[in-house]
């Protein structure tokens, strides 16, 4: 199974591979102005595109993303690119961390992700990664050819997406585990060979297989974690996003909370199973990094830290991550600290709280539990309403609500209830679970939509998806609440969510990123090991 199967049907739409020639410092020396303005994601923006019959250029960027910065400093400041966009397009830039629905929709295409849409906001073409100015000009000048790409996309999406029968989940899980073994790299550890990253959920699958008698599973898990130390910051702690070139030695230096949390859970669980103290040391190094760099004064958690210094300040000296992270602490701090995204989002806080709770369960780390409880108590005041609905950000009440936030923060509250026995966390988790079911359910075919109705959306964005990853997290959350409360209906909902995304196309698109799906099958009682 290949995660990039869909892109194979759209070979003409793949972006160029970046090289070391693109340099932010040199680009800034040219002092080229951007000749167009980014528009916000809003109903007014989509209405304008339709009214003026302008195609839409969607730029999905991450604030921590090195090649997003490069593309914005080079490609989008190119005079010809700017002229064409200003004359013919409506350009929209979205920080994908602020919209987990868009992050899930275009994860195979970024970051950055470039999407060309019709004036009615229907997808015409999707382009992955950094694109130099000359390639962007060619694409913008040939919008009419995008109709052909639209037909290809429609053909690719016509593959079987019908939900699986709940009764078939056990067989599907067995098959997924078999396929996951095919991705395992026995020589270097981890899953996948071209890009090396620490997939924490896959490690946890191996730990559970070990506990059920698989003789090689613990070795696969611990070997992967040992190899992954090459993408851990030896000075400050924390895990880099991934490594390229088929080895663990060419990291991309962004540090995302999603990566920190899943890695922390994996190291903590591996210590719990193996008793290897070096794995606990690794877990504590990740926890320490989160505390020093990604924790707010109130005790909640930030989203990520950039790979580079100066990427967010055009007046500052730019220092790329390869140079910066090779330095010791004092020399790093003399150059400044990479930018931190200080938004306090529900999903990322849920992931962090859950990971710290797991560290407490694995190692009886009382400090980790205290940090988890402190963050959860703040989030309950600021992000969770009395009816159990969960806001993504406390300061943006008008934004749609997202399944990702309710599922991750709800699971964290349920884990805290399990670890502490405190009724207030259990009651909060129950409220969130009931609201999740009421707000996101697809009553016709099962599973959960990615967000509540979005009045600003148009075209393809007005048709809500059922995201694979967030349905899986929702299933784990509902299964845990079901066990805490003996509410069998929530377990049924959890299994229904897994069946809704266990389609041939859905599983194929996930490739090696299926570990959490297996964990969810196990936690819902659907998996036969």
């Amino acid at each position: 199974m290949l995660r990039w199967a869909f892109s194979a049907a759209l070979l003409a739409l793949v972006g160029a591979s970046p090289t070391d020639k693109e340099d932010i410092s040199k680009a800034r020396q040219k002092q080229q102005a951007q000749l167009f303005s980014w528009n916000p994601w809003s109903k007014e923006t989509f209405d304008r595109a339709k009214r003026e019959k302008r195609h839409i250029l969607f730029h999905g960027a991450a604030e921590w993303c090195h090649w997003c910065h490069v593309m914005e400093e080079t490609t989008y400041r190119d005079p010809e690119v700017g002229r064409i966009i200003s004359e013919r397009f409506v350009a929209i830039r979205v920080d994908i961390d602020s919209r987990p629905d868009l992050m899930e929709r275009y994860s195979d295409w970024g970051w950055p992700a470039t999407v060309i849409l019709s004036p009615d906001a229907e997808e015409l073409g999707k382009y992955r990664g950094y694109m130099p100015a000359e390639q962007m000009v060619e694409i913008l000048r040939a919008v009419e050819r995008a109709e052909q790409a639209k037909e290809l996309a429609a053909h690719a999406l016509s593959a079987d997406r019908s939900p699986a029968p709940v009764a078939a989940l056990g067989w599907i899980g067995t098959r997924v585990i078999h396929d996951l073994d095919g991705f395992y790299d026995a020589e270097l550890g981890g899953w996948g060979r071209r890009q090396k990253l620490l997939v924490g959920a896959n490690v946890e699958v191996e730990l559970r297989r070990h506990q059920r008698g698989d003789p090689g599973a613990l070795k696969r898990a611990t070997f992967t974690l040992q190899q992954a130390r090459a993408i851990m910051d030896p000075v400050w702690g924390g895990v880099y996003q991934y490594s390229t070139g088929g080895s663990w030695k060419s990291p991309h230096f962004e540090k995302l909370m999603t990566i920190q949390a899943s890695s922390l859970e994996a190291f903590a669980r591996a210590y719990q199973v193996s008793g290897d103290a070096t794995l606990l040391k690794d877990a504590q190094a990740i926890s320490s990094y989160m505390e020093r760099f990604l924790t707010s004064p109130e005790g909640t958690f930030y989203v990520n830290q950039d790979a580079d210094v100066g990427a967010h300040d055009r007046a500052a000296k730019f220092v790329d991550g390869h140079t910066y992270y090779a330095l010791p602490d004092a020399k790093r701090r003399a150059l400044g600290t990479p930018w931190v995204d200080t938004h306090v989002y529900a999903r990322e806080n849920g992931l962090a709280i859950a990971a710290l709770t797991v560290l407490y369960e694995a190692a009886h780390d009382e400090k980790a539990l205290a940090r988890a409880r402190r963050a959860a108590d703040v989030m309950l005041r600021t992000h969770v309403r009395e009816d159990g609905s969960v806001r993504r950000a406390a300061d943006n009440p008008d934004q749609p609500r997202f399944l990702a936030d309710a599922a991750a923060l709800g699971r964290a509250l349920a884990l805290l209830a399990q670890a502490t026995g405190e009724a207030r966390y259990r009651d909060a988790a129950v409220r969130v679970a009931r609201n999740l079911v009421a707000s996101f359910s697809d009553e016709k075919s099962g599973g959960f939509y990615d967000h509540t109705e979005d009045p600003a959306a148009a075209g393809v964005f007005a048709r809500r998806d059922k995201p694979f990853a967030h349905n899986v997290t929702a299933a784990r959350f509902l299964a845990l609440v079901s066990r805490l409360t003996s509410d069998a209906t929530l377990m049924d909902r959890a299994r229904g969510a897994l069946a809704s995304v266990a389609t041939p196309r859905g599983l194929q698109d996930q490739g090696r990123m299926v570990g959490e799906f297996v964990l969810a099958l196990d936690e819902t009682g659907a998996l036969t090991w």
Side-chain angles (χ1 to χ4, degrees), residues 391-415:
R391 297 176 179 176
R392 177 137 185 85
D395 58 356
N396 192 359
D398 297 328
Q399 188 179 34
R401 290 183 287 112
F402 299 102
L403 174 64
D405 293 314
L409 186 57
R411 176 174 177 264
L413 294 169
L415 285 171

Side-chain angles (χ1 to χ4, degrees), residues 237-347:
V239 183
Y240 303 132
Q241 188 184 10
Y242 58 80
S243 180
T244 58
S247 80
W248 294 96
K249 298 179 180 179
S250 300
H252 283 214
F253 294 95
E254 305 89 1
K255 294 179 180 177
L256 283 61
M257 179 57 79
T258 52
I259 300 293
Q260 310 313 309
S262 64
S263 299
L264 175 53
E265 282 202 35
F267 275 106
R269 290 298 189 200
Y271 164 71
Q272 187 178 30
V273 171
S274 70
D276 184 341
T278 62
L279 297 173
L280 176 58
K281 184 178 179 181
D282 292 326
Q284 290 171 334
I286 299 170
S287 174
S288 176
Y289 166 75
M290 289 166 54
E291 183 175 24
R292 293 174 63 195
F293 292 91
L294 296 182
T295 300
S296 76
E298 294 74 30
T300 53
F301 297 99
Y302 297 143
V303 185
N304 51 60
Q305 185 172 36
D306 204 339
D308 311 308
V309 172
H312 289 78
D313 181 359
R314 301 196 79 244
K317 179 182 178 181
F318 177 80
V319 184
D320 69 83
H322 290 277
T323 301
Y324 186 86
Y325 283 101
L327 299 174
D329 179 74
K331 290 187 177 181
R332 290 184 185 183
R333 294 186 182 277
L335 293 173
T337 303
W339 178 88
V340 171
D341 185 339
T342 57
H343 285 97
V344 177
Y345 291 141
R347 180 193 180 212

Side-chain angles (χ1 to χ4, degrees), residues 17-331:
S17 299
T19 70
D20 293 335
K21 295 179 181 179
E22 289 77 26
D23 184 282
I24 288 179
S25 297
K26 292 180 180 178
R28 287 178 177 174
Q29 292 172 9
K30 297 179 181 178
Q31 297 184 336
Q32 290 180 329
Q34 183 173 296
L35 300 182
F36 65 95
S37 297
W38 294 113
N39 292 272
W41 176 280
S42 68
K43 184 178 186 301
E44 292 74 18
T45 297
F46 288 113
D47 286 348
R48 177 196 164 204
K50 186 173 183 179
R51 183 177 64 252
E52 297 180 4
K53 295 181 172 55
R54 287 173 173 256
H55 282 76
I56 298 168
L57 184 148
F58 172 87
H59 174 50
E63 299 300 329
W64 43 261
C65 168
H66 171 79
W67 288 107
C68 300
H69 303 325
V70 174
M71 194 162 170
E72 289 165 8
E73 292 283 354
T74 58
T75 304
Y76 286 122
R77 290 180 180 273
D78 178 81
E80 185 63 7
V81 169
R83 182 190 65 78
I84 298 174
I85 292 176
S86 65
E87 292 178 358
R88 303 179 190 175
F89 287 81
V90 170
I92 300 174
R93 183 190 189 279
V94 173
D95 171 11
I96 51 89
D97 284 305
S98 72
R99 294 288 305 235
D101 57 327
L102 298 177
M103 179 189 292
E104 178 73 7
R105 181 185 289 269
Y106 294 123
S107 61
D108 282 352
W109 301 95
W111 308 110
T114 305
V115 184
I116 303 296
L117 301 110
S118 71
D120 292 327
E122 297 294 344
E123 290 178 353
L124 303 179
K126 293 182 282 193
Y127 304 80
R128 182 187 308 121
Y130 169 83
M131 287 191 292
E134 55 269 23
Q135 184 180 7
M136 178 64 79
V137 167
E138 180 183 350
I139 291 167
L140 297 178
R141 286 175 175 170
V143 168
E144 64 273 10
R145 294 204 303 267
E147 290 299 330
Q148 181 182 359
K150 183 179 179 181
E151 293 176 4
L152 284 173
H155 176 73
L157 288 170
S158 67
D160 183 10
R161 289 183 176 272
S162 57
V166 171
L169 286 176
W171 177 87
I172 292 171
T174 301
R175 178 66 193 183
V176 168
I177 292 174
H178 177 270
D179 291 336
L180 189 61
D181 286 343
F183 285 104
Y184 183 72
D185 183 345
E187 180 182 359
L188 297 179
W191 291 265
R193 290 166 175 78
R194 186 176 66 176
Q195 180 197 71
K196 308 301 294 183
L197 73 160
L198 179 52
V199 187
N202 291 2
V203 172
E204 291 195 61
V205 168
E206 294 301 324
L207 296 174
R208 294 191 189 185
R209 293 174 76 178
H210 163 73
Q211 292 172 318
R212 288 162 175 81
D214 186 324
L218 182 60
K219 180 179 179 180
R220 291 191 294 269
T222 55
F223 179 59
T224 294
L225 294 174
Q226 291 162 0
Q227 293 290 94
R229 287 175 182 143
I231 59 169
M232 296 180 67
D233 184 347
V235 178
W236 287 346
V239 183
Y240 303 132
Q241 188 184 10
Y242 58 80
S243 180
T244 58
S247 80
W248 294 96
K249 298 179 180 179
S250 300
H252 283 214
F253 294 95
E254 305 89 1
K255 294 179 180 177
L256 283 61
M257 179 57 79
T258 52
I259 300 293
Q260 310 313 309
S262 64
S263 299
L264 175 53
E265 282 202 35
F267 275 106
R269 290 298 189 200
Y271 164 71
Q272 187 178 30
V273 171
S274 70
D276 184 341
T278 62
L279 297 173
L280 176 58
K281 184 178 179 181
D282 292 326
Q284 290 171 334
I286 299 170
S287 174
S288 176
Y289 166 75
M290 289 166 54
E291 183 175 24
R292 293 174 63 195
F293 292 91
L294 296 182
T295 300
S296 76
E298 294 74 30
T300 53
F301 297 99
Y302 297 143
V303 185
N304 51 60
Q305 185 172 36
D306 204 339
D308 311 308
V309 172
H312 289 78
D313 181 359
R314 301 196 79 244
K317 179 182 178 181
F318 177 80
V319 184
D320 69 83
H322 290 277
T323 301
Y324 186 86
Y325 283 101
L327 299 174
D329 179 74
K331 290 187 177 181

